[in-house]
Amino acid sequence: MNRVVCFMLFVLAGCSARPPETVEQKMLPGTVDATVADTTSAPCPNFNVLNTQIRDGRIKKEDALQQLQQLIPQLKKYYYDHDGKDYAPAAWLFPVQGYTAKNIGGTNGSGYLASGYDYFKGNKHGGHAAHDIFIADKNQDGIDDVTKKPVNVLSMSGGIVVATETAWDTASDLRGGHYIWVYDPASSSLFYYAHNQQVFVSPCTIVKPGDTLATIGRTGANAYKKRSPTHLHIMQLKMDSTFYPKPVNCYEALKRAGTK
């Protein structure tokens, strides 16, 4: 075979070859239309997609739990593989900078109402399995009346950011608005921070207690209305051996938390 023929065969072979794919795509069972990144490379985007499907009622509960059972061990491995550390509750910090447990709504944590809450009911869940921490913002502009600055939302625990939402607008019925979910392997918990204004983290961000996640805002279907004082909505869901996220009352942990 002469050199010209060899050269032509080489060119034709190169043109027909497909470039390698950087991310493998696959469907989650029980979903409507979502594709997610390969979980062997980064499980956080997968959780973000799954969480959105649960939030919007686009996946069956049994399929969602099955996916969660696959994702949580992957998230845990990813966290420790990327230098994530364990932080005991004694090292946790209060999630609203410049404020304390005195600013929690209700009396002695009475705002926490777990009855009717189920993570798998998404945006249509019942109850109020959380605590609202109110800031001084009489004119409801999201700026602290004393410091004249935005108020930072801090990560209460260590963990890894697994889901965020930053596209909320006033026409949306999304209750959490701009929210953040953090998974803490040390306590086997998911922490939910809702009604933020600016969100500074994204899925796969590794955080430690006191790291800035966002600024407090008025986003969310009810939180932006005039009747609602400006606040952070924080919830802790603890997972058992089946990885089913169930609410726990974090009021005492908030009272014990240090400040930054």
Side-chain angles (χ1 to χ4, degrees):
M1 185 179 295
N2 60 41
R3 292 182 179 179
V4 174
V5 174
C6 288
F7 176 77
M8 291 302 295
L9 289 173
F10 173 80
V11 171
L12 289 172
C15 292
S16 62
R18 295 179 61 189
E21 295 181 358
T22 56
V23 179
E24 179 186 351
Q25 297 292 317
K26 60 184 180 180
M27 293 295 293
L28 286 171
T31 64
V32 176
D33 57 1
T35 58
V36 296
D38 178 14
T39 56
T40 61
S41 59
C44 318
N46 291 29
F47 187 98
N48 198 14
V49 170
L50 176 62
N51 182 71
T52 301
Q53 292 169 342
I54 294 169
R55 182 196 76 188
D56 297 343
R58 295 191 291 113
I59 184 170
K60 295 177 181 179
K61 180 176 180 177
E62 55 269 26
D63 292 328
L65 179 58
Q66 182 182 17
Q67 286 296 316
L68 201 64
Q69 290 168 338
Q70 295 173 5
L71 283 170
I72 293 300
Q74 295 172 13
L75 289 165
K76 185 174 183 179
K77 182 178 187 302
Y78 185 95
Y79 178 71
Y80 292 123
D81 285 350
H82 290 78
D83 300 322
K85 308 296 182 184
D86 286 346
Y87 296 92
W92 291 0
L93 293 179
F94 197 74
V96 179
Q97 190 168 16
Y99 287 78
T100 69
K102 294 180 181 179
N103 301 104
I104 299 173
T107 302
N108 296 322
S110 61
Y112 178 86
L113 300 169
S115 179
Y117 180 85
D118 187 339
Y119 170 74
F120 294 105
K121 291 183 179 178
N123 200 47
K124 297 186 182 301
H125 69 78
H128 185 267
H131 291 285
D132 294 335
I133 303 170
F134 296 91
I135 68 168
D137 180 24
K138 288 185 178 180
N139 64 352
Q140 300 187 343
D141 63 354
I143 302 298
D144 188 282
D145 293 341
V146 178
T147 66
K148 308 303 180 184
K149 296 178 180 179
V151 178
N152 288 332
V153 176
L154 309 179
S155 182
M156 185 171 172
S157 67
I160 179 171
V161 177
V162 291
T164 59
E165 175 59 67
T166 59
W168 177 88
D169 61 43
T170 56
S172 171
D173 65 353
L174 183 62
R175 296 162 68 175
H178 295 166
Y179 62 69
I180 300 163
W181 284 94
V182 173
Y183 167 58
D184 174 26
S187 64
S188 299
S189 297
L190 289 167
F191 287 88
Y192 177 62
Y193 304 82
H195 309 321
N196 307 291
Q197 184 58 41
Q198 284 186 284
V199 173
F200 301 129
V201 292
S202 57
C204 287
T205 302
I206 304 293
V207 296
K208 62 183 183 297
D211 280 353
T212 301
L213 302 176
T215 56
I216 288 183
R218 300 183 52 80
T219 62
N222 293 317
Y224 86 95
K225 296 177 181 177
K226 286 291 183 181
R227 69 187 184 210
S228 177
T230 308
H231 64 279
L232 171 70
H233 176 97
I234 182 169
M235 175 173 64
Q236 180 184 2
L237 304 180
K238 193 171 181 64
M239 289 175 285
D240 58 17
S241 59
T242 69
F243 299 114
Y244 196 115
K246 297 181 181 179
V248 295
N249 191 342
C250 61
Y251 180 70
E252 293 300 324
L254 286 168
K255 285 175 60 179
R256 291 192 300 267
T259 57
K260 179 180 178 180

